[in-house]
C-alpha cells in the first residue's frame, strides 16, 4: 500500500515483499510527492489503501 490514510498526515509505504529494497526509491518518490502536495509522476491509485474499502 502506498498513499494517504484517514489519519491526517499519515502515509503508508508498505507491502513490497521481497522487492522492498529494489523498489524503495520509486515508492519513496511517490510518498514524497504526496506529502508535499505534488502530483506523483507514478500513478499509485491501484496501490492505495482505499482499494480495500
Amino acid at each position: 500500500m502506498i498513499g494517504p490514510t484517514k489519519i491526517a498526515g499519515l502515509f503508508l509505504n508498505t507491502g513490497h515483499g521481497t522487492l522492498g529494497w529494489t523498489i524503495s526509491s520509486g515508492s519513496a518518490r511517490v510518498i514524497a510527492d504526496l506529502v508535499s502536495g505534488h502530483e506523483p509522476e507514478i500513478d499509485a491509485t491501484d496501490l492505495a489503501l482505499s482499494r480495500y474499502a
Side-chain angles (χ1 to χ4, degrees):
M1 290 179 275
I2 297 176
T5 66
K6 292 182 180 181
I7 300 171
L10 178 63
F11 293 79
L12 297 177
N13 186 7
T14 65
H16 303 321
T18 58
L19 296 177
W21 288 105
T22 307
I23 61 175
S24 63
S25 59
S27 58
R29 175 71 184 264
V30 171
I31 291 293
D33 286 342
L34 291 171
V35 169
S36 62
H38 296 106
E39 183 70 27
E41 292 180 28
I42 301 168
D43 182 14
T45 51
D46 290 340
L47 304 173
L49 181 61
S50 61
R51 74 180 182 167
Y52 296 104

